[in-house]
Amino acid sequence: MPDSSYGASQIRVLKGLEAVQKRPAMYIGDTSHRGLHHIVFEVIDNSVDETLAGFCDAIEIVIHTDGSVSVIDNGRGIPVDMHAQEKRPALEVVHTVLHAGGKFGEGAYKVSGGLHGVGVSCTNALSEWLEVEVRRDGHRYTQRYERGKPVTKVTKGEKVKGTGTATRFKPDPLIFETVEFEFEYLARRCRELAYLTGGARFTVRDERTGKEEVYQYKGGIVDYIKALNSAKSPLHRPIHLVSSRDDVDVEVVIQYHDSYQETTLSFANLINTMEGGTHVTGFRTALTRVINQYGRNQGLLKEKDANLSGEDVRDGLTAIISVKLGAPQFEGQTKTKLGNREVDGLVNSLVGEGLATWFEEHPTEARRIVRQSQVAQQARDAARKQAELVRRKSALSGGMGLPGKLFDCRAKDPSVSELFIVEGDSAAGPAKGGRNSEFQAILPLRGKILNVEKHRLDKILGNQEIQHIIAALGTGIISGGNGNGDGRANPDEDESTGEETGLFDLSKLRYSRVIIMTDADVDGSHIRTLLLTFFFRYMQPLIEQGHVYIAQPPLYSIKQGGKTYYALTDEERDKLLAELPQRGRAMYRFKGLGEMNAEDLATTTMEPETRIIRKVTLDDAAEADQIFSTLMGSLVEPRKEFIADHAREVENIDF
Ligand code: 0RA
């Protein structure tokens, strides 16, 4: 009965793809902006795998005007021959069977870059249509699918030169909440991949705007660290360590500069491990050990001196850690923490050996690094004393320690009360008028908000606006702060005394909701990024426990027939204008919160029954933190671009 097995496999395929369509979030995380882009990355990952295998050096991503996206590579081309078991062309199997990618034929990959590894069949299932074109064996082959199902056979076309795979697809609007692609989001990841693959050329083009970026970095992560430190004063040339053991590849690049912030980026199989993990722990333990050992051996650290802590040796450190392994385990809230136990000791010993050798060979630079860590140690002692002082002051003075600018609410029960952090005194007016003073408090921020990237803890705590926020919330802060992109409240798992986190106490939180309310423009979004970065680094549990929100004030009001309608975006405005009759209609554009009257602000943004607010996730905050680092901290090019794009807000940013 030759046909029954064919039928059975077809049914299995249908069930698989239907499961993806029924529960997309199970496969791609969510169906919002992030999930939408995830299905593009799923396709890009396949091309990147081909790059890692050494067969592909150019990948092109195009956003088309019809809402579809193309991913084009010059790899070997997905095989089109018959799949022995499935009795269908391999190309079709890859697109219709879950987890089929890379597992077929000879070319199975040792290391795969896909995050969830769900494969292109997921992208296919969640697309209104998908067309794939393979150049292979001197011919063109094509196939088209609609909502995951093949609507043509794999068709052999005309003769062509070269090899490669081109995939074009249009995300299904019945599945995704938004189908609007964001050029910057795709470009950012492609730039990262260009650094991590070290040589492959990534082109990202947006046919809606004509924008195009090309990323290619022959020096790999050494180029990456140079870019990160390009606006800083490095103490030495990048230290580049490459080694492997037990089928795990470890590549690390380290460069100290003369300012304070730590920037550690870590990757496992090219995935940005924002929550850190065993590779980061191994790296940190090795770094602390080698610097202390060298300092002791050279007599820079005296017998009576305390050891340098992990935090001390990371002041002014930029580091990129990239590991590749066969079976990565991803853990943590956002599945971006590497969990493989064996990696810790392995990275620890490989980095330890490499770094110790480098120190012996570069005594001048090595001494400079030890000396900088010692300065950090002294400053940290001083900062700790000051932090303790700030906390004691506010604890001793009880309610009296609240900032004068705070318009507090009457309710003293944190579980019912909310704090609105608003931008500028002009916005404070309507916010005060629009609030319910029984349970809603207002804290206006004024003047320059400190650039937390550039300053050490003692300076940050000295900043007025930051002090007001800390005092109003009542929780205190995590005194070490989080290293950039690390995502853990206490990064020093290997050496912590618990002292570092002792200053933060979530049970002291005076409001259950902390709502950031800024203008719906670029200035507002910038201040929001700054605040999220501060919360991410110094009050992370606040975000983890879901206490931070973003208000969404409207950009437009449209009055028509005695009723008022509001629009948050230009798209919403256009939709309303199309729906409402034109006669007697008046539209108004709010240039800022300060221009809204109290009633408008209350209904749209403040009253719990009618407002729109958004809960901030750790992911949002981590992303803000990364955007912030990129814009303010380091990369010169994006910063220039940013300033050019938003010149008028620059006066409010402390560079
Ligand atoms: C496995 C084997 C071979 C090619 C590929 C995978 C491949 C997959 C994708 C997905 C996007 N672009 C791709 N490029 C290549 C071919 C093995 C052979 O030719 O022997």
Side-chain angles (χ1 to χ4, degrees):
M1 25 177 217
D3 269 343
S4 74
S5 74
Y6 179 83
S9 78
Q10 282 291 59
I11 289 164
R12 189 161 51 73
V13 165
L14 275 180
K15 285 220 163 114
L17 294 189
E18 269 169 24
V20 177
Q21 289 160 345
K22 263 202 196 119
R23 295 209 165 70
M26 288 251 303
Y27 298 84
I28 58 164
D30 60 45
T31 53
S32 67
H33 178 269
R34 182 146 52 99
L36 175 75
H37 291 81
H38 187 121
I39 68 166
V40 185
F41 296 138
E42 208 53 68
V43 180
I44 297 175
D45 282 343
N46 288 321
S47 300
V48 170
D49 284 348
E50 188 70 358
T51 300
L52 294 180
F55 298 106
C56 166
D57 64 5
I59 299 173
E60 191 175 325
I61 290 95
V62 185
I63 306 175
H64 300 284
T65 48
D66 65 356
S68 66
V69 165
S70 289
V71 178
I72 304 152
D73 72 47
N74 66 349
R76 290 168 293 177
I78 302 177
V80 291
D81 48 338
M82 272 298 166
H83 191 283
Q85 264 173 352
E86 299 278 340
K87 302 195 170 58
R88 296 181 290 146
L91 183 66
E92 183 175 317
V93 175
V94 175
H95 284 85
T96 52
V97 178
L98 286 178
H99 307 289
K103 288 214 183 99
F104 54 89
E106 291 290 292
Y109 304 116
K110 184 181 136 208
V111 165
S112 177
L115 177 48
H116 296 85
V118 287
V120 70
S121 58
C122 251
T123 304
N124 193 21
L126 303 177
S127 294
E128 202 177 297
W129 54 261
L130 182 148
E131 287 174 359
V132 60
E133 176 188 315
V134 168
R135 284 177 298 135
R136 209 178 143 85
D137 312 327
H139 278 274
R140 185 195 307 284
Y141 298 84
T142 52
Q143 188 169 31
R144 179 180 164 98
Y145 315 82
E146 289 173 10
R147 300 207 152 88
K149 296 195 187 89
V151 293
T152 71
K153 292 199 148 124
V154 174
T155 311
K156 186 170 178 175
E158 77 269 32
K159 282 194 173 163
V160 287
K161 290 216 173 74
T163 61
T165 305
T167 309
R168 179 167 174 171
F169 62 95
K170 189 163 183 285
D172 192 340
L174 300 178
I175 296 217
F176 292 97
E177 291 149 42
T178 168
V179 286
E180 187 88 9
F181 285 109
E182 186 193 338
F183 177 81
E184 289 302 330
Y185 194 78
L186 293 174
R188 217 181 306 145
R189 172 64 176 155
C190 285
R191 185 206 281 138
E192 192 171 85
L193 286 169
Y195 282 124
L196 291 168
T197 52
R201 188 181 72 225
F202 286 79
T203 306
V204 192
R205 194 165 65 245
D206 191 341
E207 289 185 342
R208 301 169 303 186
T209 60
K211 217 170 174 178
E212 180 179 295
E213 298 282 354
V214 181
Y215 305 115
Q216 185 172 29
Y217 308 103
K218 298 251 159 70
I221 61 173
V222 174
D223 283 353
Y224 200 174
I225 208 164
K226 286 181 185 163
L228 286 169
N229 282 345
S230 63
K232 302 196 158 117
S233 313
L235 301 189
H236 55 86
R237 306 243 301 265
I239 307 171
H240 187 206
L241 309 173
V242 188
S243 52
S244 71
R245 189 180 291 167
D246 305 335
D247 274 332
V248 180
D249 296 341
V250 179
E251 187 180 1
V252 169
V253 59
I254 301 165
Q255 188 178 42
Y256 280 90
H257 51 78
D258 69 355
S259 59
Y260 315 118
Q261 195 63 47
E262 178 202 358
T263 304
T264 296
L265 305 182
S266 65
F267 302 88
N269 290 6
L270 311 206
I271 289 150
N272 192 332
T273 37
M274 273 193 303
E275 296 173 280
T278 49
H279 51 339
V280 178
T281 310
F283 166 78
R284 289 185 162 164
T285 313
L287 185 73
T288 310
R289 183 181 67 251
V290 170
I291 292 182
N292 274 295
Q293 255 166 17
Y294 187 83
R296 296 268 177 218
N297 287 344
Q298 299 294 315
L300 301 166
L301 273 171
K302 304 281 183 284
E303 219 165 296
K304 62 173 173 34
D305 293 342
N307 260 351
L308 298 162
S309 74
E311 286 177 77
D312 296 335
V313 303
R314 293 199 297 272
D315 253 28
L317 169 73
T318 305
I320 304 171
I321 306 158
S322 173
V323 298
K324 298 197 184 104
L325 63 166
Q329 288 156 11
F330 292 103
E331 304 173 346
Q333 276 209 326
T334 56
K335 290 271 174 286
T336 58
K337 180 176 183 175
L338 185 67
N340 300 59
R341 287 279 122 218
E342 70 280 10
V343 171
D344 184 338
L346 206 133
V347 173
N348 184 344
S349 91
L350 290 177
V351 170
E353 286 161 27
L355 201 56
T357 306
W358 191 91
F359 271 36
E360 293 305 330
E361 289 169 355
H362 300 80
T364 316
E365 289 91 337
R367 287 170 161 265
R368 210 174 284 160
I369 292 170
V370 174
R371 220 168 296 127
Q372 170 155 310
S373 302
Q374 288 178 300
V375 173
Q377 187 180 39
Q378 287 154 13
R380 191 157 276 109
D381 281 344
R384 209 167 267 137
K385 284 183 189 125
Q386 167 144 17
E388 186 55 34
L389 208 69
V390 169
R391 189 178 71 118
R392 233 184 263 136
K393 257 195 335 206
S394 61
L396 287 176
S397 53
M400 299 297 286
L402 294 173
K405 296 195 310 180
L406 174 73
F407 301 94
D408 212 356
C409 53
R410 285 192 295 280
K412 292 289 167 250
D413 176 3
S415 74
V416 300
S417 42
E418 307 181 334
L419 176 70
F420 285 85
I421 301 178
V422 307
E423 173 189 355
D425 283 338
S426 62
K432 264 160 56 193
R435 72 169 172 160
N436 180 335
S437 58
E438 180 55 33
F439 67 96
Q440 294 181 320
I442 311 284
L443 179 67
L445 296 182
R446 157 187 327 127
K448 287 187 182 182
I449 304 226
L450 198 69
N451 178 351
V452 288
E453 175 79 10
K454 254 177 44 183
H455 303 282
R456 212 197 286 264
L457 182 66
D458 46 350
K459 178 93 187 278
I460 287 171
L461 289 175
N463 176 262
Q464 278 264 307
E465 306 304 306
I466 297 287
Q467 278 191 0
H468 289 160
I469 294 173
I470 298 171
L473 296 188
T475 56
I477 59 167
I478 294 162
S479 77
N482 284 323
N484 177 24
D486 172 282
R488 281 178 297 158
N490 184 0
D492 282 342
E493 277 169 4
D494 47 333
E495 58 193 333
S496 169
T497 56
E499 195 185 324
E500 279 80 15
T501 49
L503 292 173
F504 185 85
D505 185 352
L506 191 61
S507 71
K508 299 255 166 64
L509 183 62
R510 299 182 61 252
Y511 310 91
S512 59
R513 289 192 200 91
V514 178
I515 303 165
I516 301 171
M517 187 159 76
T518 54
D519 288 345
D521 61 8
V522 278
D523 295 19
S525 95
H526 198 107
I527 289 168
R528 192 165 64 229
T529 303
L530 286 165
L531 289 175
L532 287 181
T533 301
F534 170 72
F535 287 140
F536 179 72
R537 295 201 187 172
Y538 293 98
M539 296 187 172
Q540 197 164 104
L542 202 67
I543 298 171
E544 279 167 351
Q545 299 304 314
H547 293 291
V548 182
Y549 293 79
I550 290 171
Q552 321 241 49
L555 265 182
Y556 301 95
S557 75
I558 299 169
K559 285 201 165 39
Q560 158 79 60
K563 283 186 81 172
T564 309
Y565 305 84
Y566 301 96
L568 261 66
T569 60
D570 289 356
E571 290 78 53
E572 278 184 28
R573 173 204 59 193
D574 293 343
K575 220 174 136 207
L576 275 172
L577 289 179
E579 282 166 8
L580 295 170
Q582 289 186 14
R583 282 181 56 183
R585 186 175 76 185
M587 184 177 80
Y588 188 74
R589 185 182 200 286
F590 301 115
K591 295 202 189 61
L593 292 167
E595 284 203 352
M596 294 176 77
N597 62 43
E599 202 187 308
D600 280 334
L601 192 62
T603 7
T604 58
T605 320
M606 298 184 75
E607 274 173 17
E609 262 76 71
T610 51
R611 72 187 174 193
I612 304 174
I613 60 172
R614 193 163 70 86
K615 190 184 276 187
V616 174
T617 65
L618 197 59
D619 234 25
D620 294 330
E623 196 179 320
D625 181 77
Q626 285 222 334
I627 290 171
F628 187 84
S629 310
T630 317
L631 294 178
M632 300 300 114
S634 34
L635 289 175
V636 171
E637 276 315 311
R639 181 162 57 169
K640 272 194 202 142
E641 251 171 54
F642 183 86
I643 294 172
D645 285 352
H646 310 304
R648 71 200 171 87
E649 77 192 284
V650 167
E651 61 192 77
N652 283 326
I653 302 165
D654 168 32
F655 281 101

